[in-house]
Amino acid sequence: MKKWLYGVALGALLVAGNVAGITVQEVLNTPYEEYRGNSSDFFKIFKGYYRGKYNKESHTVDPDGTRRDSFLYTISCPKLVTTRWKYKEWYNGEENQTMYGIDNDELLKDVLRGEYKETTTTHRQEKYISDGIGTTNYTKNIQETYTVKPLKKSAHPMSPLVVDDWFSDHHTGMNLSANFYGTEHTAVTNIISDNEAYITGTIRQSGYINEYYGFIVEEPTSLVRTYTQHITTDADHVYVTQDINEKSQFFYNEERSFQTQYTAKYKKGRWKNVTETISNVAQGSALPWLINYYNSLKQNSR
């Protein structure tokens, strides 16, 4: 589930003398696993084994309460870590906080450097509505551009976006008693020609929440994710267009959608770079049991 392209490989290699260039058969039949880095994973992996400093930093607050932050943060790893990543983040954002929740608009740029140089530019708009205790509704609109190029000849191409397997992990929280029942995944590949194919699939997951912070819940959980991948190739490129839609119920009744455009470029049979644009729109509303939990907190605080 956590592997990119849901187990369908995109490690295409250009075959010398193949008049069709890179074929979809090569795309589908060349499996490999590659790490797609981001700043969040960087901190998880290296934990306390990195050094960081703020190079530039400024913070201001407008009269209406809007906060504006801007900083450049540089991180490097000590020699005891085999992979030496360097991470820079430029942040320009504004946040307007009211008694009803938070409106946030931010622009982030992450640069990770190791075996690859990976740059992710993210424009994130988020709005959270609160009842004073916890979030009852939210909306997100995230537009992202991801580019990566190899810094070693042995490096394999990075994958298109894969949605994290967040649902199963949610059942293992320390303050949560829950059971994850499993995953059902079906997919169909339709090869149109040597240079075109479609993959359609559905992922279903389910579970059950017993209690949350001691509050009795006893409610089922569910997730359904459908996706379509359109793969095309030519002599020097692999293109993947993805449409991913997800509906889930856990803490919230949620809907998420992803539209992505991915291009891997080759030159003389060697992978040169990848570019992908990602649009992610999401919305959620608290389930009745979560609203009841918030109400119980209010009553206990009186």
Side-chain angles (χ1 to χ4, degrees):
M1 283 288 299
K2 295 186 179 180
K3 305 307 179 187
W4 67 267
L5 206 55
Y6 305 102
V8 179
L10 196 64
L13 300 176
L14 182 62
V15 178
N18 185 346
V19 294
I22 304 171
T23 67
V24 293
Q25 286 84 357
E26 291 174 299
V27 174
L28 299 174
N29 294 326
T30 308
Y32 70 94
E33 297 175 6
E34 283 301 330
Y35 172 74
R36 177 168 174 166
N38 58 57
S39 57
S40 297
D41 290 334
F42 177 93
F43 290 114
K44 291 177 184 176
I45 292 171
F46 296 115
K47 297 181 180 178
Y49 296 108
Y50 58 81
R51 295 186 295 268
K53 66 176 181 178
Y54 283 98
N55 301 84
K56 299 177 182 178
E57 182 178 7
S58 67
H59 306 276
T60 60
V61 179
D62 293 346
D64 65 357
T66 297
R67 191 187 75 216
R68 303 179 188 275
D69 301 298
S70 179
F71 59 79
L72 170 60
Y73 190 57
T74 304
I75 290 177
S76 61
C77 287
K79 293 181 179 179
L80 62 91
V81 179
T82 304
T83 302
R84 295 187 59 121
W85 288 102
K86 289 185 177 180
Y87 159 70
K88 293 182 179 180
E89 181 180 90
W90 291 262
Y91 170 83
N92 285 283
E94 56 187 65
E95 183 177 289
N96 186 7
Q97 185 165 355
T98 69
M99 63 179 294
Y100 302 107
I102 295 176
D103 289 322
N104 189 50
D105 189 347
E106 64 182 15
L107 179 65
L108 293 161
K109 185 175 182 180
D110 297 343
V111 180
L112 286 166
R113 188 179 180 92
E115 187 174 353
Y116 309 88
K117 180 180 179 182
E118 302 172 73
T119 303
T120 304
T121 302
T122 306
H123 182 202
R124 180 190 303 268
Q125 295 174 297
E126 298 177 327
K127 184 175 183 178
Y128 297 90
I129 305 299
S130 173
D131 67 349
I133 298 294
T135 299
T136 56
N137 294 273
Y138 76 85
T139 58
K140 294 181 182 181
N141 188 334
I142 303 169
Q143 306 297 317
E144 196 166 82
T145 301
Y146 171 77
T147 61
V148 57
K149 65 179 182 179
L151 300 181
K152 294 182 179 180
K153 293 181 179 180
S154 60
H156 295 288
M158 286 294 181
S159 73
L161 172 76
V162 167
V163 180
D164 289 338
D165 184 20
W166 64 269
F167 184 81
S168 60
D169 293 340
H170 265 43
H171 291 76
T172 59
M174 291 182 61
N175 300 306
L176 186 72
S177 172
N179 302 101
F180 175 63
Y181 293 151
T183 301
E184 176 187 335
H185 184 190
T186 59
V188 175
T189 300
N190 184 13
I191 298 177
I192 307 299
S193 68
D194 283 346
N195 303 106
E196 184 178 14
Y198 283 90
I199 302 171
T200 58
T202 301
I203 295 168
R204 300 180 185 274
Q205 296 178 296
S206 61
Y208 195 85
I209 301 177
N210 301 300
E211 59 182 62
Y212 180 60
Y213 279 101
F215 179 81
I216 302 301
V217 179
E218 294 186 346
E219 292 288 344
T221 63
S222 63
L223 177 145
V224 177
R225 183 182 301 135
T226 60
Y227 62 92
T228 300
Q229 297 154 351
H230 182 207
I231 304 171
T232 57
T233 65
D234 60 29
D236 298 308
H237 300 87
V238 174
Y239 307 97
V240 180
T241 300
Q242 293 193 105
D243 189 359
I244 305 168
N245 293 283
E246 176 182 291
K247 292 184 178 181
S248 64
Q249 289 187 330
F250 197 92
F251 292 106
Y252 298 88
N253 185 11
E254 298 178 280
E255 294 186 13
R256 295 199 298 170
S257 66
F258 299 82
Q259 286 77 40
T260 75
Q261 297 283 340
Y262 168 98
T263 301
K265 182 179 179 180
Y266 294 80
K267 186 176 181 180
K268 296 181 179 179
R270 180 171 293 164
W271 171 55
K272 302 300 291 183
N273 58 62
V274 158
T275 300
E276 185 172 29
T277 59
I278 302 164
S279 174
N280 174 15
V281 178
Q283 62 180 8
S285 57
L287 288 169
W289 75 258
L290 186 58
I291 297 295
N292 291 336
Y293 169 71
Y294 290 157
N295 290 333
S296 72
L297 294 179
K298 291 178 182 179
Q299 293 174 359
N300 292 334
S301 64
R302 293 174 182 173

